[in-house]
């Protein structure tokens, strides 16, 4: 459900318009934008550290969901001599309260050079010395053993794991190390390729009646959505960031628990009330988002719960700070009533239809590309102009950008509330290979970075006058300055835009 993801760029970085063309009125141009509701003149910008400084402890700030699904928390410590120790704690539930097994990983990492593929990232090499596993229940032992295939290496590794009846609480079983004849971690599909792509950034968290708080974040490479591809995949996007155990956001009920845990004592996170999925209002990216295949974007979605329709904008950019726009996609359609997911606990399954779309080129390269395309393949006759929006519904999408209309996607949603009481909306993670979840079998099993709720729901935009009405919504925050309505599902690859 990711169309027109460049929408949220203006959201993240204050009240500047997405482009000078955003102020134009009339047919064929970007719609009128609402007045900035949350000026942020004093907010310090996000600062990337180049080269990144990894030294110190880094922790998850909550329960994470990887494709599969896998529910986990992480605690990584990097030392000045390039050695590292990492804990990965896996759980049976989406709130990370039922520990299944824990991994202890030790090795060495070496930063190499700035990435030629993912701007703003640094490439790294790593070598593992030891991987050990502690099972917190017999059931967890059986679940892990089932991952082994019928190869000779896997049969040898099966002997390294105890029979279920011989399971000992707290025992560490070595999967990789000096005493292991085979790399049983690899036989189980485990890798640490996330260490091959690194980004460290700093930002200031505003504090009421106090000076802003420094927050340091560590972005590591993304995990392939297909488990079979993970051993060979080299990341081009990021996971949910870890935060410095010394400089993390506040409040953070999970941070201290995770920071003080080890393989024998996994963190059990505080209970979290489940929120029913009630789609409505406007949801925006809280920052610049990065996707695999070098995609930088921001998103803004509007859901109309009374008739189950949605609309939105995706703002795409050429840089990791979302300051250099390339194009915007507007899309709209309908969605079905949600049903609880049987595969991903805590998730809700929906089906989204995309029936209308518009495209706005925001740089000269995209404008030229669209003008070289066949008129019948994208928008019909007439020249494309920088900053001018054109409808692509009549041509069934836009072939040069990989947009097809009408389009259906099988989605996964989840709603949470953060420690500050702010509502968060998680939308299913796009397939790493760039394909679309257009069949039930391809429905996501994990989530993208969350969107935050603005404090307004009913946004009635008049095509001629841009009239706007807003009603406060509980649990939201003032909506930052962005282009109007939102879009959901679109993915841009180097010269190809596909549904996310």
């Amino acid at each position: 459900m990711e169309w027109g993801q460049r929408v949220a760029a203006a959201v993240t970085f204050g009240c500047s318009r997405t482009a000078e063309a955003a102020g134009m009125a009339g047919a064929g141009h970007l719609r009128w934008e609402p007045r900035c509701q949350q000026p942020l003149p004093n907010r310090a910008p996000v600062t990337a550290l180049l080269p990144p400084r990894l030294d110190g402890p880094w922790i998850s700030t909550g329960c994470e969901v990887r494709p599969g699904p896998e529910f986990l928390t992480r605690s990584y410590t990097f030392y000045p001599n390039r050695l590292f120790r990492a804990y990965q704690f896996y759980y049976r539930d989406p709130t990370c309260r039922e520990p299944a097994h824990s991994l202890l990983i030790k090795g060495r990492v070496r930063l190499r050079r700035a990435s030629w593929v993912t701007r703003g990232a640094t490439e790294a090499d790593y070598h593992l010395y030891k991987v050990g596993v502690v099972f917190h229940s017999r059931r967890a032992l059986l679940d892990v053993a089932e991952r082994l295939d019928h190869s000779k290496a896997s049969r040898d590794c099966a002997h390294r794991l105890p029979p279920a009846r011989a399971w000992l609480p707290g025992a560490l079983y070595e999967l990789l190390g000096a005493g292991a004849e085979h790399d049983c971690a690899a036989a189980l599909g485990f890798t640490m390729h996330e260490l091959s792509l690194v980004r460290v950034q700093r930002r200031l968290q505003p504090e009421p009646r106090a000076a802003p708080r420094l927050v340091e974040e560590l972005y590591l490479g993304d995990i392939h959505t297909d488990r079979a591809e993970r051993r060979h995949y080299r990341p081009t996007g990021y996971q949910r960031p870890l935060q410095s155990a010394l400089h993390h956001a506040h409040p953070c009920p999970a941070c201290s628990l995770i920071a003080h845990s080890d393989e024998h004592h996994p963190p059990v996170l505080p209970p979290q009330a489940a929120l029913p999925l009630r789609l409505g209002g406007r949801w925006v990216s809280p920052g610049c988002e990065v996707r695999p295949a070098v995609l930088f974007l921001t998103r803004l979605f509007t859901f109309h719960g009374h008739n189950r329709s949605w609309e939105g904008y995706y703002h795409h950019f050429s840089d990791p700070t979302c300051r250099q726009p390339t194009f915007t996609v507007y899309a709209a359609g309908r969605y079905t009533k949600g049903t609880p997911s049987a595969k991903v606990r805590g998730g809700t399954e929906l089906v989204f239809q995309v029936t209308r779309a518009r495209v706005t080129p925001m740089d000269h390269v995209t404008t030229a590309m669209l003008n070289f395309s066949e008129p019948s393949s994208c928008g019909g006759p007439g020249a494309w102009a920088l900053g001018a929006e054109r409808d692509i519904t009549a041509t069934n999408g836009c072939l040069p950008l990989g947009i097809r209309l009408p389009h259906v996607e099988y989605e996964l949603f989840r709603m949470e509330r953060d420690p500050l009481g702010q509502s968060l909306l998680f939308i299913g993670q796009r397939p790493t290979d760039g394909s679309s979840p257009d069949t039930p079998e391809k429905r996501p099993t994990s989530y993208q970075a969350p969107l935050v709720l603005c404090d307004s729901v009913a946004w009635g935009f008049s095509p001629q006058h841009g009239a706007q009405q807003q009603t406060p919504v509980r649990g939201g925050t003032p909506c930052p300055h962005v282009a109007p309505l939102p879009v959901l599902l679109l993915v841009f690859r180097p010269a190809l835009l596909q549904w996310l």
Side-chain angles (χ1 to χ4, degrees), residues 12 43-49 61 200-206 212-217 219 241-243 247-250 286-287 420:
T12 306
R43 173 176 289 184
V46 171
T47 302
L49 301 185
T61 56
V200 175
Q201 64 183 37
R202 291 175 175 171
R203 60 181 174 87
L204 292 179
Q205 175 191 9
R213 179 185 298 273
L214 175 66
V215 176
E216 294 185 334
E217 296 176 315
Y219 288 81
L242 302 176
Q243 291 189 3
H247 302 288
H248 60 78
H250 285 257
L420 292 174

Side-chain angles (χ1 to χ4, degrees), residues 280-304:
R282 307 175 74 222
W283 299 81
V284 297
S285 302
C288 189
E289 301 180 19
V290 182
R291 297 282 189 279
V294 201
L295 172 66
F296 307 107
L297 71 146
T298 59
R299 300 173 289 160
L300 167 62
F301 302 134
T302 295
F303 300 95
H304 305 285

Side-chain angles (χ1 to χ4, degrees), residues 344-368:
V344 185
R345 289 173 57 185
T348 300
E349 296 180 351
L350 307 96
V351 179
F352 275 79
Q353 296 178 330
V354 186
T355 56
R356 308 187 311 277
R358 302 193 293 265
V359 170
T360 307
M362 302 297 289
D363 69 354
H364 293 287
V365 173
T366 305
T367 304

Side-chain angles (χ1 to χ4, degrees), residues 25-30 388-389 463:
H29 294 89
L30 283 177
E389 183 183 71

Side-chain angles (χ1 to χ4, degrees), residues 1-5 289-293 295 297 299 301 314 316 352 354 402 407-413 427-438 442 444 448 488-493 496-500:
M1 220 188 64
E2 299 247 289
W3 245 80
Q5 303 187 20
E289 301 180 19
V290 182
R291 297 282 189 279
L295 172 66
L297 71 146
R299 300 173 289 160
F301 302 134
Y314 290 79
H316 292 262
F352 275 79
V354 186
H407 184 78
V408 174
E409 290 206 349
Y410 293 82
E411 262 300 346
L412 181 73
F413 275 41
I427 298 176
Q429 182 177 349
R430 303 301 95 190
T432 305
D433 64 7
S435 63
S436 168
D438 52 7
K442 298 177 69 174
Q448 303 173 50
L488 279 159
L489 324 133
L490 184 41
V491 148
F492 180 68
R493 303 174 68 190
L496 178 68
L497 189 61
Q498 295 188 347
W499 299 95
L500 281 185

Side-chain angles (χ1 to χ4, degrees), residues 24-196:
M24 300 180 182
H29 294 89
L30 283 177
R31 286 179 165 186
W32 172 86
E33 296 187 14
R35 176 178 297 180
C36 179
Q37 301 172 49
Q38 187 183 4
L40 304 172
N42 298 321
R43 173 176 289 184
V46 171
T47 302
L49 301 185
L50 295 174
R53 300 173 187 171
L54 299 182
D55 295 357
W58 303 85
I59 53 175
S60 303
T61 56
C63 195
E64 302 178 13
V65 185
R66 284 184 174 178
E70 294 178 329
F71 308 112
L72 77 155
T73 57
R74 296 176 289 161
S75 177
Y76 296 177
T77 301
F78 297 90
Y79 302 98
N81 59 0
R82 298 180 181 174
L83 296 178
F84 72 87
R85 182 195 64 204
Y87 295 117
Q88 293 183 355
F89 308 104
Y90 290 83
Y91 302 81
R92 300 195 59 81
D93 68 300
T95 57
C96 291
R97 292 185 53 78
E98 303 172 22
H101 67 276
S102 300
L103 294 179
L104 167 65
I105 307 114
K106 294 183 178 181
R108 178 186 295 270
V109 64
R110 180 175 67 90
L111 300 178
R112 295 175 56 206
R113 59 173 179 266
S115 173
W116 287 73
V117 177
T118 306
R119 289 184 59 185
T122 298
E123 296 177 357
D125 291 326
Y126 74 93
H127 178 72
L128 299 182
Y129 299 145
K130 178 177 181 176
V131 178
V133 59
V134 175
F135 298 103
H136 304 300
S137 69
R138 286 186 176 85
R139 184 176 178 181
L141 168 60
L142 293 173
D143 289 343
V144 171
E146 286 177 358
R147 298 183 190 175
L148 294 171
D149 56 30
H150 300 291
S151 65
K152 183 180 184 304
S154 292
R155 290 195 300 271
D156 293 338
C157 290
H159 295 302
R160 299 196 62 81
L161 300 178
R165 63 180 180 274
W167 165 72
L168 296 175
L172 177 69
Y173 299 96
E174 195 170 78
L175 301 177
L176 172 67
E181 296 181 7
H182 303 279
D183 183 356
C184 295
L188 289 169
F190 172 79
T191 77
M192 283 293 286
H193 292 338
E194 61 187 280
L195 294 178
S196 62

